[in-house]
Amino acid sequence: MLERASGDGLPLTAAGYLKPADARELAELLPEMRDYPWAGTREIDAHPVLAFREYLRDIKLVRRYKGTLRLTPLGRECLADPGRLWRHLANMLIGDPETFGGHCSVTLAVYVGTADRTIRPQRIARVLSAHGWRHSGGEPLDDRDVYPVWNELWVALSAVGTPDREAGRGEFLPRIPSAAARALIRDALFEVVADPDIDPDEAEPEAVFRRGAYRRFR
């Protein structure tokens, strides 16, 4: 997507959507579109395509300019450096844990990164209620409070690698992340830090670091 938006950018329709041919091309690349029941040609009818493009805009990789979709300066940096792109995706995956959306996204990331099947938003709602989150009137949360955060998180996770389709019988469009998406979750929650008990001048390079320190959430 970044490659296509480089240079003069991707032309948009008068309503601000991708042209049908470009929407089709993106749909063929997105893993989430493999089983999606989309028979049309308009981006507005292909929700995963539209959501993914808007996500790239929300994390400042692309922008709309004079009827085209173009790279931002950050987008150009990430196009030139895949490592930079990965770090940016990890940094943007989790919200501020002091807010409901951030706390919910952390909880979802932990669960989805360790589960072997599609998670149940109602269970996440119970966990968040146990942590003290409530509606203004004091009512406990339910799955309707979790789905908006879960939908946004899945837009990012479903586009990384090829999602695992080994889901329970009868599940429609299961949300089970790929191994690469699980790695992104790991890098969003944790960072590699130096082990203070090891002298880097006397140890093997790989022994100097350990996982476990939380990265400061952005």
Side-chain angles (χ1 to χ4, degrees):
M1 186 67 175
L2 298 185
E3 290 174 351
R4 293 295 307 277
S6 62
D8 293 333
L10 280 169
L12 300 173
T13 67
Y17 295 105
L18 289 176
K19 296 276 181 85
D22 295 319
R24 278 287 184 189
E25 185 173 353
L26 180 55
E28 292 176 359
L29 296 175
L30 281 178
E32 187 71 355
M33 287 297 298
R34 291 193 312 173
D35 301 324
Y36 195 80
W38 180 44
T41 59
R42 300 186 307 166
E43 183 190 26
I44 194 173
D45 297 323
H47 296 167
V49 174
L50 178 60
F52 179 69
R53 179 175 65 82
E54 291 181 336
Y55 175 72
L56 295 184
R57 177 203 61 199
D58 292 343
I59 63 173
K60 311 301 183 185
L61 293 180
V62 299
R63 65 190 179 100
R64 185 176 175 180
Y65 179 74
K66 292 185 177 180
T68 62
L69 190 71
R70 300 193 184 189
L71 294 183
T72 63
L74 175 61
R76 288 193 292 272
E77 292 178 15
C78 290
L79 176 59
D81 183 357
R84 176 77 172 90
L85 173 60
W86 183 267
R87 291 191 300 273
H88 180 63
L89 293 176
N91 288 340
M92 299 302 294
L93 191 67
I94 304 298
D96 181 355
E98 297 300 320
T99 66
F100 171 75
H103 196 157
C104 184
S105 63
V106 169
T107 307
L108 282 163
V110 171
Y111 271 74
V112 75
T114 55
D116 58 0
R117 60 172 298 152
T118 303
I119 64 170
R120 301 295 182 232
Q122 185 61 47
R123 296 180 180 177
I124 304 300
R126 289 200 294 268
V127 171
L128 293 169
S129 294
H131 278 270
W133 292 99
R134 291 287 191 279
H135 288 280
S136 58
E139 303 88 354
L141 307 178
D142 60 28
D143 58 351
R144 291 172 296 181
D145 302 298
V146 174
Y147 265 115
V149 181
W150 181 208
N151 291 341
E152 183 175 344
L153 185 65
W154 186 246
V155 169
L157 294 177
S158 65
V160 180
T162 303
D164 185 351
R165 295 295 173 177
E166 295 298 325
R169 182 177 298 177
E171 287 200 54
F172 176 68
L173 297 177
R175 290 179 170 184
I176 302 177
S178 66
R182 292 174 191 268
L184 185 65
I185 291 172
R186 177 199 65 206
D187 289 347
L189 294 174
F190 302 95
E191 67 178 342
V192 176
V193 297
D195 190 331
D197 298 323
I198 297 180
D199 186 342
D201 294 328
E202 299 179 0
E204 295 294 327
E206 62 271 16
V208 178
F209 298 95
R210 59 184 171 84
R211 272 195 189 278
Y214 285 101
R215 170 183 294 141
R216 179 179 298 172
F217 289 106
R218 289 164 172 79

